[in-house]
Amino acid sequence: MTVRPAAPPVLTAEEAAWRQNLLLALPIAGLAVGLGVWLEYRAPQSLPFDRAGYPVLGALLLLLAGWLLVRPTALRVVVGASVGAAGAFFGLRLTYLLHFTQGADTLRELTEAYGWVPVMYVVTYLVPDGNSRLARRLAVLCLISMLLVGAVYTALHAGEREAFPVISALVQLACSNLAVLALTRSLADRLRGRAREHERLAGTDVPTGRLNRRGWSAAFEEELRAREGTQAYAVLFIDLDGFKRVNDTRGHDVGDALLRQAGERLHLLRGGGAAARLGGDEFALFSPVGSAWQAEALAERVRDALQAPYEIGAFTELVTASVGVSVAPHDGTDPETLLRAADLAMYRAKRTGKNAVRRYASALGEAESRRALLERDVQHAAERGELALHYQPLFELRARRAVKVEALLRWTHPGLGPVSPSEFIPLAEATGLIRPLGEWVLRQACADARRLPDALVVAVNVSPVQLEDGDFPALVQAVLHESGLPPERLELELTETAVMRDVDRARHALGQLRALGVRVALDDFGTGHTSLSSLRDLPLDTVKIDRSFVADLRGGHAQPFARTLLGALLQVADLLDLEVVAEGLEDDAQLQALHHLGCHVGQGYLLGRPAPLSDVLDTPWGQPPREEDTVTA
């Protein structure tokens, strides 16, 4: 069996920065020592020790710089050797001063010998922790050795009157050095304690006191690295079903208390792993297991524990949990991959009725992954500038003159490219994101309308979810006021489905909108359950015929039925003073048939495709039509 060599250790960012600093500082220190030697030789009174010791110290510092340049991972050794060499030099220099010099020379040089010890000690606290312990011990050993040298000198010369100034200086320097070292250590310990606390808080979710996503991922990463793939782990992604209801009805204090209790229950079930709140009502848990079925059994216990009643003050609240499960190393070998797999499984649990456990399987495939990605990213699409409105014209058929433009939402995903509205609008409606999305469309369309010709009405589609919001008419009024758009230039389009979900509520909401002066259109007429008679009871201005009926006008066995139905609709619309718009015009045969039936407004690729506002502004709409563009009888 071939044994691969161990990978060389890699420096952290902090260690790499310190290496760069040392590669600059050590040569400068070596040159400074060389300058000191030159000055010593030129001084009238110089110490022989300095003339011999400084060159050795300078050469050693330059050698250490060269070694660090060649061996980047030798940072710990270089720091220790630098401090040790400097400490030995100043210890030997003190010994030389006390025994081979006297008088003013001794006092003057003592300060230099002792003065560098605190500097060395402080530097050892600035170096990254993994490289500083040896250097710190060497600095302390240097001070201890100097104290011993001073103590020996004091003992030998205590009775000599002329030695008293030197002994006094030794005592003062020793005490000041000890004080600096003690204060440095105290301050460093305090700063380290704060750093550890900040690090702990950075990995902690404040409302629950449990780990957050960052802390959980770090803990799981460390666990996986320690076991080196020899242990299987269950990873659970948990979403609390019904938490939003509790938070909205009881308030955030009760909601936070429920989250804390849920976190405590998960903490008790972690089984040697860790639980975390990822955000909102989502939690994660990892735990060592023996097999995949044990992982699913753990998920079942978690689901059962989380659906037990929550006693919060005077309230008893009930929520359930949707749990997705992935298993390491089968479904992934890193926290993010495993959590993403469990997240996909959780979405599947929610879509199949909630309060369920689902195991991740690769068979979930790209469709599941794409849906989850879109569902998550659509909520940030507007703020990231990924949304845009395109406008498709509606023409008065006889004169081929544009009378309206319909605002159509487009989303260009940064990774997936253009996403069809038929794909992301249902996702937005299912998650409640259609409200902010619809508000963005309304505001943007009204702002764009101010740049269009005054004769053009702008039509904006309204979701059933928006129509059911009691505050929607007030929102429309506020947007009209902010944009300065006259109400009669805005038309709101609603599908039959939106109206028929609750006819009474829809009638009331449409009446409020029309009272503002806004036009109201019923879109895709003929695809739902709206009868011709119900048009009489709804406050409408426009009815848009679904494209499926317009397509039948091309010919074939369905043409007579389509002509009869459209003829009846046009007669009813004329009696009720409703405008009728035909959707999906694609050829001249349809155009001529609609004209003969008496339908005067149409929309489709034959007349104009959706285009960005910049293209619409360049289109010569509103100009007198050319004779050959008119529809002849």
Side-chain angles (χ1 to χ4, degrees):
M1 183 178 68
T2 303
V3 179
R4 295 181 179 180
V10 179
L11 295 178
T12 66
E14 186 182 13
E15 289 172 339
W18 257 95
R19 175 176 174 269
Q20 294 295 328
N21 292 335
L22 285 176
L23 286 175
L24 179 64
L26 288 174
I28 292 176
L31 293 175
V33 169
L35 178 62
V37 173
W38 181 74
L39 292 174
E40 283 290 333
Y41 276 101
R42 293 178 62 86
Q45 294 180 345
S46 61
L47 297 177
F49 179 87
D50 289 347
R51 291 197 299 270
Y54 272 122
V56 174
L57 180 60
L60 181 59
L61 293 177
L62 292 175
L63 286 173
L64 289 173
W67 189 20
L68 187 60
L69 182 64
V70 176
R71 293 284 301 275
T73 56
L75 181 63
R76 178 174 178 271
V77 176
V78 169
V79 171
S82 300
V83 172
F89 173 80
F90 290 115
L92 292 173
R93 191 170 189 274
L94 177 65
T95 303
Y96 179 87
L97 289 173
L98 293 177
H99 294 284
F100 297 99
T101 63
Q102 58 184 350
D105 290 341
T106 304
L107 290 174
R108 184 180 67 251
E109 300 293 343
L110 279 179
T111 304
E112 181 181 347
Y114 264 104
W116 282 100
V117 176
V119 174
M120 291 189 299
Y121 193 67
V122 170
V123 167
T124 63
Y125 275 100
L126 299 177
V127 179
D129 280 346
N131 306 280
S132 61
R133 294 185 183 89
L134 174 62
R136 196 172 302 136
R137 290 169 183 167
L138 290 172
V140 172
L141 182 62
C142 169
L143 178 60
I144 292 174
S145 65
M146 294 175 73
L147 292 176
L148 290 175
V149 169
V152 170
Y153 178 85
T154 301
L156 294 176
H157 301 281
E160 301 175 8
R161 185 179 182 86
E162 60 274 11
F164 181 77
V166 175
I167 294 174
S168 177
L170 286 172
V171 172
Q172 293 181 50
L173 289 170
C175 291
S176 63
N177 271 255
L178 289 172
V180 170
L181 265 62
L183 289 173
T184 300
R185 177 161 187 166
S186 176
L187 179 61
D189 289 345
R190 183 179 303 177
L191 292 175
R192 279 203 177 89
R194 289 181 180 178
R196 284 192 295 269
E197 180 64 12
H198 289 161
E199 183 67 22
R200 186 188 68 81
L201 290 176
T204 302
D205 175 65
V206 176
T208 63
R210 300 299 163 196
L211 295 175
N212 60 15
R213 189 186 192 108
R214 174 183 174 183
W216 183 87
S217 296
F220 195 15
E221 183 73 42
E222 184 177 350
E223 183 80 7
L224 290 171
R225 189 163 47 245
R227 298 299 182 95
E228 296 181 342
T230 60
Q231 171 67 55
Y233 288 90
V235 177
L236 310 186
F237 196 109
I238 304 131
D239 184 273
L240 298 181
D241 311 317
F243 172 76
K244 185 177 185 301
R245 170 187 54 79
V246 175
N247 211 37
D248 291 345
T249 58
R250 302 299 190 191
H252 294 292
D253 290 341
V254 173
D256 287 348
L258 190 151
L259 292 174
R260 281 193 294 274
Q261 289 191 26
E264 291 169 1
R265 296 178 188 184
L266 291 173
H267 182 70
L268 295 175
L269 291 169
R270 72 193 189 282
R277 177 177 174 240
L278 303 179
D281 56 2
E282 295 178 337
F283 290 82
L285 181 148
F286 77 82
S287 181
V289 293
S291 62
W293 73 263
Q294 288 184 3
E296 294 187 41
L298 172 62
E300 296 283 355
R301 293 198 300 273
V302 165
R303 184 197 61 179
D304 294 343
L306 292 177
Q307 67 183 356
Y310 294 81
E311 303 293 340
I312 305 170
F315 304 110
T316 299
E317 300 296 338
L318 294 173
V319 297
T320 58
S322 298
V323 185
V325 186
S326 64
V327 180
H330 182 271
D331 299 323
T333 56
D334 63 272
E336 284 305 312
T337 300
L338 291 162
L339 194 61
R340 186 164 56 250
D343 188 10
L344 288 174
M346 185 276 294
Y347 272 103
R348 189 181 178 200
K350 291 187 77 70
R351 286 196 296 275
T352 54
K354 302 182 180 180
N355 193 27
V357 171
R358 290 292 181 271
R359 166 89 160 83
Y360 172 77
S362 57
L364 291 175
E366 294 184 4
E368 293 281 346
S369 178
R370 178 183 176 90
R371 178 186 173 93
L373 178 64
L374 293 178
E375 192 169 313
R376 185 155 295 152
D377 288 353
V378 70
Q379 58 188 312
H380 304 296
E383 62 192 61
R384 292 172 180 166
E386 298 165 8
L387 299 180
L389 291 182
H390 286 198
Y391 293 92
Q392 185 175 26
L394 285 73
F395 279 83
E396 200 282 311
L397 298 180
R398 187 173 188 83
R400 290 283 187 99
R401 178 176 58 87
V403 291
K404 301 179 185 178
V405 288
E406 181 181 358
L408 301 171
L409 183 60
R410 298 291 184 259
W411 179 22
T412 303
H413 189 279
L416 302 176
V419 182
S420 170
S422 63
E423 184 176 12
F424 72 82
I425 293 295
L427 289 178
E429 290 180 334
T431 57
L433 293 171
I434 195 63
R435 286 189 176 92
L437 203 60
E439 180 177 342
W440 182 88
V441 171
L442 181 64
R443 292 184 183 279
Q444 189 64 46
C446 289
D448 289 348
R450 293 298 307 276
R451 302 175 60 188
L452 294 170
D454 293 340
L456 287 179
V457 172
V458 175
V460 176
N461 291 281
V462 176
S463 162
V465 179
Q466 292 175 275
L467 187 63
E468 292 171 356
D469 186 351
D471 295 329
F472 182 65
L475 172 65
V476 173
Q477 185 178 25
V479 171
L480 287 172
H481 177 74
E482 293 169 7
S483 64
L485 183 71
E488 62 271 14
R489 289 194 58 204
L490 176 64
E491 183 171 83
L492 300 177
E493 294 189 6
L494 304 106
T495 63
E496 283 190 77
T497 304
V499 173
M500 300 309 294
R501 282 169 69 160
D502 189 334
V503 177
D504 292 335
R505 176 184 289 184
R507 185 184 298 113
H508 177 68
L510 297 182
Q512 289 180 298
L513 292 170
R514 289 195 74 196
L516 297 174
V518 172
R519 297 176 57 85
V520 177
L522 185 64
D523 197 11
D524 299 334
F525 181 81
T527 59
H529 305 284
T530 309
S531 64
L532 290 176
S533 62
S534 63
L535 296 179
R536 176 191 58 197
D537 302 322
L538 293 172
L540 300 172
D541 297 283
T542 303
V543 176
K544 299 185 73 174
I545 305 170
D546 185 67
R547 64 181 61 247
S548 61
F549 295 103
V550 177
D552 290 339
L553 294 177
R554 292 172 174 170
H557 68 279
Q559 185 183 35
F561 174 77
R563 293 179 67 93
T564 302
L565 177 65
L566 293 178
L569 173 60
L570 288 165
Q571 290 182 31
V572 171
D574 186 56
L575 290 172
L576 298 176
D577 195 24
L578 296 176
E579 180 185 59
V580 177
V581 177
E583 296 184 288
L585 277 171
E586 297 182 359
D587 59 37
D588 288 328
Q590 295 170 319
L591 184 62
Q592 294 292 341
L594 287 168
H595 173 69
H596 288 300
L597 286 169
C599 181
H600 303 304
V601 182
Q603 177 182 9
Y605 284 177
L606 176 67
L607 304 173
R609 292 176 176 269
L613 179 65
S614 57
D615 293 351
V616 174
L617 293 174
D618 293 336
T619 303
W621 290 338
Q623 296 182 3
R626 296 176 299 172
E627 184 176 350
E628 59 269 25
D629 286 339
T630 60
V631 178
T632 58

